């Protein structure tokens, strides 16, 4: 059953409006307050006020109109996160055109497919390097339709500054024209087309309307509240709908400050400098943060290690009581206060000292990882969604959470479980369809319900648990249905493992391809394998295999025998986007990995079968039953 949405600020403005109108309304209220922050020479000294932001958006919109971009057209962008990304985005949408983002890590084939399939009329690029990826397609765009954020001069490339100059001239000659354009944009007009980085085949273009996106952050307001006092570090790609909705549109609607991280390598440093109240990231960020904390403790004097262990024991007791909604005894609260002053507050200070909560999405967050931060008095709120659902379907809340789940559905949508366990949803957040692909749309939309392809269930308290992707379910030769995501999640809860892929479809038992965390393995082995040959030799050692076997078995303790990994192969190289193993959102392309490592997988099963056959023969020869 769909939930009634509570009153959201400016509901009467936003309900049948568009995203640029929401932006303009907020800017009228916030005026000269800081809206966007960015780095100049390594420091966050660059900033735009809400008024500045509006000026740039208006000029980009009018500049695009001068180029010939009209309502219903599509404009591409290939850029890292930066203020200019939002100028292009809001400027494009102000015309009633749709922005089509492309991941900065996308392959040449995917870029070519999107440019041609979406029939892009203009294109924004952030750097000269990104320009090289789209320059061969410049003839497809309108004249001067290839626009660069950079200052270098290139033939056939219009600078963003020049585009804005053209917009400024139009603004001077046609006062009020921009506002007229925005008023013509309807809630059900397509705001963006996001090409999903599918694990198989070419990406499909998901069409999302202004109503889709506005309804999504309005519905999320019931679960997570944000206001003008908040600030967020933007570090996930804006090409991904998770960052775009949660870290951008929602922040705009509530008047929060957005600061752009320099890159993924500087996120920790940037968080410390910006001192945000909210951090939105994927599970790998939280795992790396955990390891950084534990490494600092391991390298600290012994008395500090002891203090950390005592503080976390106290924190664990408090965490357990809070999870059960129990009152904390006075004595325990007193010791917890001391633990906060001596340990937890210092960790929080390293992250700026102002974080109210973290949000995790894009991939499953292990319960162990969520509890680790909760013990340190920091909350990680896990959510769930898809590009096709704008994206949020469910999320945990500060006062209503359960680790190991993705929370409860947001307001205003319907979520239910099909007979085969597939999660279905309906309501205003469901996409308009796949662009120029009615067959694919019909394959996921039936009777007004979108079939997510994910398997899950609601527990007795109404929290949603995800167990696996329907298409990834393994059916063994013995007819057992196995959810690899659950097994892989257990394994990845151990920081020794960097990537895991379970295989075994139509096979008699499960095996796995394992990519280890090099630093953690070398630390455990007490060796330094700095070169590739040295690391390859380390992986081949019997001691290494036995060590990994023990850690693996510990992760899978309690599972049924058919869910346990009978054999594994240690893969030396990380799975990468360039190597074809990962999507731009860092999800494993299962079919691609199976194809790439087919010989290794076949050999793994053959060796295991031979070893078992030899053991059986030996037992038979000695008269063992």
């Amino acid at each position: 059953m769909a939930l009634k949405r509570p009153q959201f600020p400016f509901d009467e403005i936003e309900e049948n409006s568009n995203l640029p109108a929401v932006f303009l309304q907020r800017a009228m209220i916030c005026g000269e307050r800081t809206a966007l922050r960015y780095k100049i020479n390594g420091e966050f000294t660059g900033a735009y006020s809400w008024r500045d932001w509006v000026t740039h958006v208006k000029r980009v919109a009018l500049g695009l109109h001068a180029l010939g971009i009209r309502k219903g057209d599509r404009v591409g962008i290939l850029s890292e996160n930066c203020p200019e990304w939002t100028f292009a985005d809001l400027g494009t949408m102000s015309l009633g055109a749709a922005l089509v983002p492309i991941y900065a890590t996308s392959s040449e084939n995917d870029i070519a497919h999107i440019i041609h399939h979406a029939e892009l009329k203009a294109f924004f690029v952030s750097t000269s390097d990104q320009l090289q990826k789209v320059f061969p397609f410049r003839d497809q765009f309108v004249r001067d339709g290839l626009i660069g954020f950079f200052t270098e001069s290139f033939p056939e490339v219009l600078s963003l500054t020049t585009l804005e100059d053209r917009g400024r001239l139009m603004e001077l000659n046609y006062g009020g024209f921009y506002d007229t354009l925005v008023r013509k944009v309807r809630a059900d007009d397509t705001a963006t087309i996001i090409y999903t980085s599918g694990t198989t085949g070419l990406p499909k273009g998901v069409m999302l309307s202004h109503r889709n996106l506005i309804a999504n952050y309005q519905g999320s307001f019931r679960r997570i509240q944000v206001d003008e006092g908040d600030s967020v570090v933007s570090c996930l790609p804006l090409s991904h709908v998770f960052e775009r909705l949660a870290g951008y549109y929602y922040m705009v609607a509530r008047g929060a400050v957005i600061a752009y991280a320099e890159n993924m390598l500087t996120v920790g440093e940037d968080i410390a400098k910006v001192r945000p109240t909210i951090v939105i990231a994927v599970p790998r960020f939280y795992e790396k943060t955990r390891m950084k904390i534990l490494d600092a403790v391991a390298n600290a004097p012994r008395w500090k290690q002891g203090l950390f262990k005592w503080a976390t024991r106290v924190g664990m007791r408090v965490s357990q009581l809070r999870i059960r909604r129990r009152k904390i005894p006075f004595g325990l609260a007193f010791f917890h206060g001391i633990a906060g002053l001596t340990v937890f507050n210092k960790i929080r200070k390293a992250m700026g000292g102002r974080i109210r909560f973290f949000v995790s999405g894009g991939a499953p967050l292990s319960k162990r990882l969520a509890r680790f931060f909760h013990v340190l008095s920091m909350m990680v709120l896990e959510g769930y969604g898809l590009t096709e659902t704008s994206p949020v379907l469910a999320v945990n809340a500060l006062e209503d959470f359960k680790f190991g789940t993705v929370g409860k559905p947001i307001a205003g949508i319907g979520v239910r479980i099909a007979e085969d366990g597939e999660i279905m949803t309906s309501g205003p957040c469901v996409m308009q369809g796949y662009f120029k692909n009615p067959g694919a749309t019909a394959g996921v939309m039936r009777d007004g319900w979108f079939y997510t392809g994910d398997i899950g269930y609601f527990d007795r308290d109404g929290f949603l648990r995800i167990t696996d992707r329907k298409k990834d379910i393994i059916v063994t030769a013995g007819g057992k249905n196995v959810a690899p995501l659950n097994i892989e999640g257990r394994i990845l809860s151990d920081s020794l493992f960097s990537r895991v892929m379970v295989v075994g479809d139509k096979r008699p038992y499960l095996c796995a391809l394992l990519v280890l965390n090099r630093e953690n393995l070398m630390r455990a082995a007490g060796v330094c394998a700095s070169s590739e040959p040295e690391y390859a030799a380390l992986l081949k050692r019997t001691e290494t295999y036995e060590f990994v076997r023990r850690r693996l078995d510990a992760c899978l303790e309690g599972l049924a025998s058919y869910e346990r990994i009978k054999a594994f192969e240690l893969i030396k190289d990380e799975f990468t986007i360039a190597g074809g193993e990962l999507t731009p959102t860092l999800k494993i392309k299962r079919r691609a990995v199976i194809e790439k490592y087919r010989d290794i997988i076949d050999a793994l099963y053959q060796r295991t079968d031979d070893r078992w056959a030899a053991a059986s023969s030996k037992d038979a020869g000695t008269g063992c039953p």
Side-chain angles (χ1 to χ4, degrees):
M1 178 183 293
L3 299 172
K4 184 179 184 340
R5 190 185 70 237
Q7 181 72 13
F8 183 90
F10 310 123
D11 262 0
E12 68 282 1
I13 297 169
E14 300 180 13
E15 188 69 31
N16 293 296
S17 187
N18 59 68
L19 288 163
V22 173
F23 163 68
L24 293 171
Q25 177 67 26
R26 175 53 67 179
M28 285 179 60
I29 297 169
C30 294
E32 293 299 331
R33 283 187 50 218
T34 297
L36 306 174
R37 297 180 64 191
Y38 60 98
K39 272 185 169 181
I40 298 177
N41 297 325
E43 298 297 331
F44 281 93
T45 54
Y48 290 100
S49 70
W50 285 88
R51 199 178 306 281
D52 295 334
W53 196 1
V54 169
T55 297
H56 285 283
V57 169
K58 282 185 176 182
R59 291 177 178 175
V60 168
L62 294 174
L64 288 172
H65 190 276
L67 294 182
I69 304 302
R70 298 292 184 267
K71 185 174 183 178
D73 287 340
R74 291 164 296 280
V75 175
I77 184 169
L78 181 62
S79 170
E80 299 76 17
N81 294 13
C82 58
E84 292 82 0
W85 206 105
T86 70
F87 303 166
D89 180 46
L90 290 166
T92 298
M93 291 191 296
S94 296
L95 303 178
L99 191 81
V100 181
I102 299 179
Y103 287 97
T105 53
S106 291
S107 67
E108 291 183 7
N109 287 340
D110 282 352
I111 292 172
H113 167 70
I114 293 170
I115 289 175
H116 290 305
H117 189 263
E119 301 178 63
L120 302 179
K121 293 287 187 69
F123 204 102
F124 291 94
V125 290
S126 58
T127 66
S128 54
D129 288 338
Q130 301 292 14
L131 172 65
Q132 303 309 313
K133 300 176 183 178
V134 298
F135 193 73
F137 310 103
R138 62 192 181 281
D139 291 341
Q140 179 176 317
F141 313 135
V142 298
R143 183 178 179 181
D144 291 337
L146 188 52
I147 305 154
F149 295 162
F150 42 82
T151 56
E152 304 101 307
S153 178
F154 287 89
E156 301 184 70
V157 180
L158 189 72
S159 72
L160 183 66
T161 301
T162 302
L163 178 74
E164 289 196 34
D165 285 343
R166 294 184 182 184
R168 182 175 58 83
L169 289 174
M170 180 171 279
E171 187 177 20
L172 291 173
N173 293 326
Y174 302 96
F177 185 50
Y178 173 79
D179 295 326
T180 300
L181 291 171
V182 173
R183 284 195 296 270
K184 291 181 178 179
V185 180
R186 300 290 176 249
D188 292 318
D189 288 341
T190 300
T192 186
I193 301 177
I194 301 174
Y195 281 78
T196 58
S197 51
T199 54
T200 60
L202 290 170
K204 297 189 292 291
V206 177
M207 296 185 292
L208 299 178
S209 69
H210 295 265
R211 188 187 304 280
N212 288 152
L213 296 161
I214 290 172
N216 200 260
Y217 69 66
Q218 285 180 332
S220 300
F221 180 70
R222 176 168 180 157
R223 303 293 295 161
I224 297 179
Q225 285 75 48
V226 176
D227 61 34
E228 293 179 8
D230 283 310
S231 59
V232 65
V233 170
S234 178
C235 56
L236 300 180
L238 280 166
S239 304
H240 195 293
V241 70
F242 176 41
E243 175 69 20
R244 197 165 167 195
L245 187 289
Y248 171 22
Y249 294 148
Y250 192 10
M251 300 301 152
V252 167
R254 299 300 290 124
V257 178
I258 303 171
Y260 295 98
E262 184 175 349
N263 55 57
M264 289 304 296
L265 298 177
T266 65
V267 171
E269 170 193 327
D270 293 341
I271 288 173
K273 289 181 176 180
V274 172
R275 301 181 66 236
T277 59
I278 301 168
V279 172
I280 300 170
V282 292
R284 285 179 74 83
F285 165 80
Y286 300 111
E287 182 58 52
K288 288 181 178 179
T289 301
R290 172 182 173 273
M291 288 307 304
K292 188 174 181 180
I293 293 170
L294 294 180
D295 283 347
V297 172
N299 293 321
R302 187 163 296 179
W303 68 269
K304 285 191 175 181
Q305 294 179 23
L307 180 62
F308 180 82
K309 290 179 180 178
W310 169 81
T312 53
R313 284 197 298 270
V314 173
M316 177 65 75
R317 291 172 62 191
V318 171
S319 173
Q320 290 171 342
L321 290 172
R322 286 176 174 170
I323 289 170
R324 296 169 185 166
R325 310 294 192 271
R326 302 283 180 82
K327 184 178 180 180
I328 301 172
F330 175 79
L332 180 60
F334 174 77
F335 286 119
H336 190 252
I338 295 176
L341 290 172
T342 57
V343 177
F344 303 154
N345 286 357
K346 292 182 179 179
I347 296 174
R348 290 171 59 86
K349 187 176 180 180
M351 298 182 189
R354 299 177 62 237
I355 292 176
R356 293 202 296 125
F357 57 84
F358 298 91
V359 179
S360 179
L365 179 77
S366 73
K367 184 187 294 186
R368 175 194 60 82
L369 197 52
R371 283 180 171 170
F372 172 82
F373 283 94
H374 198 241
V375 165
L376 302 181
S377 295
M378 292 185 282
M379 177 63 81
V380 182
L381 302 173
E382 183 179 10
Y384 160 72
L386 301 89
T387 304
E388 291 88 341
T389 57
S390 305
V392 186
L393 281 180
V395 67
N396 281 286
L398 284 173
E399 302 300 328
D400 188 29
F401 65 90
K402 185 179 288 189
F403 298 140
T405 78
V406 294
K408 294 178 180 178
I410 65 172
I413 67 170
V415 179
R416 69 186 189 192
I417 310 298
E419 290 184 3
D420 63 354
E422 185 172 1
I423 300 167
M424 308 155 56
T425 183
S426 66
C429 299
V430 174
M431 67 171 180
Q432 296 174 306
Y434 294 116
F435 184 58
K436 296 197 295 190
N437 199 339
T441 302
V444 296
M445 292 293 302
R446 295 191 287 278
D447 300 323
W449 288 84
F450 171 73
Y451 287 68
T452 65
D454 290 316
I455 302 297
Y457 64 93
F458 285 104
D459 68 14
R460 63 183 181 181
D461 297 317
F463 288 88
L464 182 61
R465 293 180 183 268
I466 312 297
T467 57
D468 218 310
R469 287 291 290 170
K470 188 175 181 179
K471 65 182 180 182
D472 293 338
I473 294 293
I474 292 173
V475 182
T476 67
K480 296 291 187 181
N481 285 8
V482 180
L485 188 66
N486 177 48
I487 298 170
E488 291 163 357
R490 278 173 167 255
I491 297 171
L492 290 172
S493 68
D494 185 331
S495 59
L496 175 66
F497 302 98
S498 176
R499 291 283 179 185
V500 179
M501 199 185 91
V502 175
V503 296
D505 197 49
K506 298 180 178 63
R507 306 268 195 173
Y509 49 85
L510 301 183
C511 289
L513 302 179
L514 305 177
V515 180
L516 305 182
N517 182 306
R518 288 195 182 198
E519 291 184 3
N520 291 347
L521 175 62
M522 289 188 291
R523 186 184 299 112
V527 299
C528 178
S530 56
S531 69
E532 290 299 310
E534 287 175 333
Y535 184 68
L538 176 62
L539 293 183
K540 291 179 180 178
R541 290 184 186 177
T542 302
E543 300 95 314
T544 301
Y545 187 92
E546 292 175 349
F547 172 70
V548 173
R549 176 84 265 178
R550 291 193 296 272
R551 296 282 283 264
L552 187 66
D553 288 344
C555 292
L556 303 180
E557 187 176 353
L559 290 182
S561 60
Y562 65 85
E563 295 177 301
R564 298 176 73 85
I565 304 300
K566 299 301 188 291
F568 58 85
E569 185 75 24
L570 299 179
I571 305 298
K572 178 174 69 69
D573 298 318
E574 262 285 0
F575 291 169
T576 64
I577 298 169
E581 299 100 340
L582 301 180
T583 71
T585 54
L586 304 182
K587 293 183 176 68
I588 292 178
K589 293 183 174 181
R590 291 184 182 274
R591 292 185 187 178
V593 171
I594 288 174
E595 190 60 36
K596 182 172 183 175
Y597 293 96
R598 183 174 297 281
D599 291 343
I600 289 176
I601 294 170
D602 289 343
L604 177 61
Y605 273 97
Q606 187 63 55
R607 288 199 309 272
T608 307
D609 289 344
D610 290 347
R611 188 164 58 248
W612 284 7
S616 297
S617 177
K618 182 178 179 181
D619 289 344
T622 57
C624 293

